[in-house]
Amino acid sequence: MRNKLHKRRDFIERSTLSALAFLKDATFAEEYANCKGFLQSLDPRFKTITFLLFLITAVSLKSAVLIGSLYGVCLTLALLSSIPVAHFLTRTLLFIPLFSLTIVLPTLFSVVTPGEPVWSFHCLGIHGVITRPGLDGALLFVVRIATSVSLIVLLSITTRHSELLKVLRVFGIPQIFVLTVSMCYRYLFLFATMVENIFTAVKSRVGILSHRQHGQQVVAWNIANTWNRTTQMSEEVYMAMLSRGYTGEPRLLSEFQATPKDWVWLVCAVILCAGLFYKGYTL
Amino acid sequence: MSDIIFELKDVQYSYLGKFPALCGVDMTIRSGEKIAVIGANGTGKSTLLQLLDGLIFPQNGHMTAFGERLLEHSHADEKAAHRFRRRVGLVFQNADIQLFCPSVREDIAFGPLQLGVAEKEVNRRIIEVAQVLDIQHLLDRVPHQLSIGEKRRVAIASVLAIDPDVYLFDEPTAGLDPLTVRHIIDFIVKANQRGKTIITATHDLHIIGEIADTVYVFGRNKRIVRGGSSESVLNDRLLLETNNLVHIHRHHHDGMEHVHQHLPLEPHD
Ligand SMILES: Nc1ncnc2c1ncn2[C@@H]1O[C@H](COP(=O)(O)OP(=O)(O)OP(=O)(O)O)[C@@H](O)[C@H]1O
Ligand SMILES: [Mg+2]
């Protein structure tokens, strides 16, 4: 009985802590945004637009080969931007397409996608047939997901999040919204650190929480306490903003500078996408 | 007297109406003065600085700033608020609170931009301020990932970029290494030499001689128990002892342990 409770508490604690670790990791990933490389040297506005273009292309094309070539472009860009390919692949290929596989798996079979059978098998008294159209469709889907995810990850790890937010502003999103999002992001981090510290502090004082009721109390008290601290903090942050002259409408720096290189890159990207589309229609 | 910046008469403030933080404070601060406010934890130093920065307002008593009475609604007008903000800058005790922008550069730019400084000038100030505080290499970093000392420098930079006449520092040297403390003290002294008024809250007696000519001691009753030249206050052993401001050292001598109090002006044995 006690052992079971113990496990449950451990589980909650572990999942909380690993979620926090992930959050922090996402922030620290800025190490690639600060490296010197091709994508890092581009103006964030141009980078975002071209990546959106690639994304639209990847989603619209109906040939796995063409999408695959876009994936190749993506990997080359990663190489040119001094991102370790192994890291990039694990982050994209392993993680997200796993989800898509579970969606795709059923469509392989004749029950869902009828067509020319490729392989049939008997398992646990069930007769399954994998069909050619099913296989093609699944391949297309997986390649498309892998490419889209890689593009998004590549954009986000080669651009500082403050710059991505600024791009939002360039695209006409109101400043107050952008400032709010950026503060949320920042306080999420502070909040994460705070919860982590509370966990450590409680542990160092109480040792291992073996009594269930006590554990629940600590969790409930922490939620209340964290809430109080956050509201207190937001009041203080507001004061800090007031102190530096904030009167309701934030004004922020807008300092993007496009170079000829950015324009060349934009033209190249448009030609590439147009070419892929043309190929896709004539195929 | 036109050079009086702040005048406080029997100022009282309590949080939520039940946690008293200031219970009748009288103070006169003139332009160009170097002032320190010392006192144990919870004696109302931070509250006083927030009051001087026009972030909270006296609930009782009388307070004027730059010859005008400071009231809750005096900052409702944007022009009046900006005029005040251009003249007074506060470096908060908690740098984590003060830095809320996504990058150091933007945090430094925030104040001047709000106050209507042109972008070209703001960019010039960023470079200048970064050089003064030696944080050029941090400009594109995320503020909350910096060390405490780095954050403090950035926080000071973000106020320096506004270039106010009055600087309020809340515990500027707490938790910093000796070299960084040195830099910050030098910064304060230089600013004062340029004619800036400096008001520092601290409980670090060692730095007071340099950063203040006048010292106000806050007592546990949340009032000023003594105000005077920094020399006279630092030499008043009884005053410092009763107000919890004396360092207590524990030493080992020849296997025997002895405890003694340590005042900042005494040589340390
Ligand atoms: N937000 C708040 N809500 C309620 N009470 C508060 C709040 N902030 C401060 N107080 C109370 O007001 C009093 C003065 O606090 P203040 O922060 O001004 O002290 P301080 O001298 O700056 O202390 P420290 O040296 O620890 O920074 C304390 O008794 C404190 O408990
Ligand atoms: Mg304080």
Side-chain angles (χ1 to χ4, degrees):
Chain A
M1 178 69 182
R2 170 163 267 197
N3 204 359
K4 203 169 147 194
L5 288 175
H6 204 100
K7 262 192 195 150
R8 192 153 105 193
R9 185 193 55 76
D10 257 10
F11 172 73
I12 294 172
E13 186 180 317
R14 250 187 304 123
S15 37
T16 317
L17 288 184
S18 63
L20 293 180
F22 175 75
L23 258 179
K24 284 185 138 182
D25 215 38
T27 324
F28 283 126
E30 294 217 332
E31 73 182 270
Y32 297 113
N34 293 325
C35 288
K36 292 235 177 308
F38 175 68
L39 287 175
Q40 291 90 334
S41 73
L42 290 175
D43 182 317
R45 289 171 303 179
F46 284 74
K47 202 179 355 176
T48 312
I49 291 175
T50 48
F51 271 70
L52 274 177
L53 204 63
F54 288 151
L55 209 62
I56 293 170
T57 315
V59 177
S60 329
L61 286 176
K62 294 194 174 56
S63 142
V65 179
L66 291 181
I67 300 178
S69 62
L70 202 56
Y71 187 61
V73 171
C74 182
L75 286 186
T76 319
L77 285 173
L79 266 176
L80 289 176
S81 310
S82 45
I83 290 164
V85 178
H87 172 88
F88 186 68
L89 287 180
T90 47
R91 223 172 151 164
T92 52
L93 277 186
L94 254 169
F95 188 45
I96 322 254
L98 264 181
F99 286 99
S100 57
L101 271 183
T102 54
I103 303 170
V104 163
L105 217 53
T107 64
L108 287 175
F109 297 99
S110 61
V111 191
V112 183
T113 322
E116 174 201 342
V118 180
W119 186 51
S120 67
F121 60 92
H122 288 276
C123 178
L124 300 169
I126 301 171
H127 179 67
V129 178
I130 293 180
T131 63
R132 166 73 57 199
L135 204 61
D136 285 348
L139 184 69
L140 182 65
F141 189 81
V142 169
V143 173
R144 193 178 275 165
I145 291 282
T147 310
S148 313
V149 166
S150 303
L151 283 168
I152 291 171
V153 169
L154 190 60
L155 175 66
S156 64
I157 64 176
T158 56
T159 319
R160 265 185 250 115
H161 93 262
S162 57
E163 285 182 333
L164 273 180
L165 283 170
K166 263 200 271 179
V167 171
L168 285 184
R169 222 159 69 220
V170 173
F171 291 156
I173 308 217
Q175 297 206 332
I176 185 71
F177 178 80
V178 177
L179 192 72
T180 313
V181 171
S182 80
M183 279 201 203
C184 282
Y185 186 86
R186 183 210 174 303
Y187 284 102
L188 218 55
F189 184 82
L190 205 66
F191 190 74
T193 317
M194 207 157 77
V195 175
E196 223 171 39
N197 288 343
I198 292 177
F199 259 112
T200 326
V202 168
K203 247 188 163 168
S204 70
R205 262 180 286 177
V206 190
I208 286 167
L209 305 171
S210 52
H211 196 276
R212 178 178 173 183
Q213 210 165 9
H214 187 182
Q216 280 179 346
Q217 270 168 10
V218 169
V219 169
W221 175 79
N222 270 338
I223 291 171
N225 188 35
T226 315
W227 170 253
N228 279 343
R229 283 210 223 173
T230 346
T231 47
Q232 164 96 38
M233 206 158 71
S234 67
E235 272 167 35
E236 287 178 48
V237 172
Y238 181 64
M239 277 196 179
M241 293 174 70
L242 276 186
S243 171
R244 283 195 270 155
Y246 176 76
T247 44
E249 174 62 26
R251 303 189 185 101
L252 306 171
L253 279 181
S254 57
E255 30 140 20
F256 287 135
Q257 266 169 2
T259 58
K261 185 177 168 187
D262 292 307
W263 288 103
V264 172
W265 165 243
L266 182 66
V267 171
C268 290
V270 170
I271 292 173
L272 177 69
C273 291
L276 285 173
F277 268 118
Y278 178 74
K279 267 259 172 218
Y281 278 112
T282 51
L283 221 70
Chain B
M1 287 281 283
S2 60
D3 69 339
I4 291 183
I5 291 182
F6 294 112
E7 191 157 33
L8 282 72
K9 288 210 179 83
D10 193 33
V11 165
Q12 300 181 6
Y13 187 86
S14 63
Y15 288 93
L16 310 169
K18 57 182 174 189
F19 302 111
L22 293 173
C23 308
V25 170
D26 298 286
M27 220 177 205
T28 305
I29 295 165
R30 293 195 165 73
S31 177
E33 280 189 315
K34 249 191 321 181
I35 291 177
V37 178
I38 61 175
N41 290 130
T43 47
K45 303 182 296 293
S46 298
T47 310
L48 176 74
L49 291 190
Q50 289 178 5
L51 211 66
L52 296 180
D53 197 33
L55 298 172
I56 55 178
F57 299 90
Q59 289 155 342
N60 270 313
H62 188 88
M63 173 178 173
T64 60
F66 306 103
E68 284 168 38
R69 192 145 184 216
L70 203 58
L71 293 168
E72 191 100 43
H73 55 76
S74 31
H75 287 169
D77 172 35
E78 188 178 291
K79 275 213 186 100
H82 279 177
R83 209 170 336 121
F84 185 83
R85 299 292 165 217
R86 249 176 248 131
R87 296 173 107 173
V88 185
L90 167 62
V91 178
F92 282 71
Q93 182 165 8
N94 183 350
D96 258 328
I97 297 291
Q98 181 159 10
L99 305 174
F100 47 79
C101 290
S103 74
V104 169
R105 185 188 297 278
E106 278 169 289
D107 244 316
I108 297 175
F110 187 86
L113 282 177
Q114 302 312 301
L115 297 173
V117 177
E119 246 186 73
K120 213 169 147 202
E121 166 68 8
V122 173
N123 281 319
R124 194 193 62 77
R125 284 196 200 177
I126 293 174
I127 306 292
E128 184 185 304
V129 163
Q131 198 169 2
V132 171
L133 286 149
D134 195 20
I135 50 171
Q136 293 106 317
H137 56 295
L138 302 177
L139 281 179
D140 290 313
R141 293 275 301 272
V142 185
H144 58 266
Q145 288 171 3
L146 302 178
S147 81
I148 292 181
E150 290 168 339
K151 274 185 206 160
R152 185 95 51 173
R153 282 167 194 261
V154 175
I156 294 177
S158 71
V159 174
L160 178 61
I162 300 174
D163 194 30
D165 302 325
V166 181
Y167 282 86
L168 309 170
F169 291 99
D170 200 347
E171 310 268 0
T173 56
L176 304 185
D177 68 57
L179 193 63
T180 313
V181 169
R182 188 71 251 151
H183 281 152
I184 289 178
I185 293 176
D186 289 347
F187 173 82
I188 292 176
V189 171
K190 270 195 209 129
N192 182 249
Q193 282 164 356
R194 284 190 292 134
K196 307 290 181 188
T197 310
I198 311 278
I199 303 159
T200 313
T202 182
H203 34 222
D204 189 354
L205 296 180
H206 299 263
I207 65 171
I208 285 179
E210 285 186 85
I211 60 158
D213 299 324
T214 310
V215 178
Y216 291 97
V217 182
F218 273 66
R220 235 160 295 162
N221 56 2
K222 295 171 173 134
R223 290 157 180 261
I224 295 175
V225 291
R226 170 84 182 269
S229 75
S230 50
E231 192 118 319
S232 73
V233 170
L234 289 178
N235 282 318
D236 192 338
R237 190 183 197 116
L238 187 70
L239 174 78
L240 298 179
E241 266 171 38
T242 48
N243 285 293
N244 252 340
L245 286 161
V246 182
H247 287 246
I248 297 171
H249 283 233
R250 193 183 289 275
H251 288 277
H252 286 279
H253 285 305
D254 308 321
M256 284 209 341
E257 191 174 76
H258 89 145
V259 176
H260 76 106
Q261 293 176 330
H262 176 50
L263 286 172
L265 294 187
E266 283 174 351
H268 185 214
D269 57 354

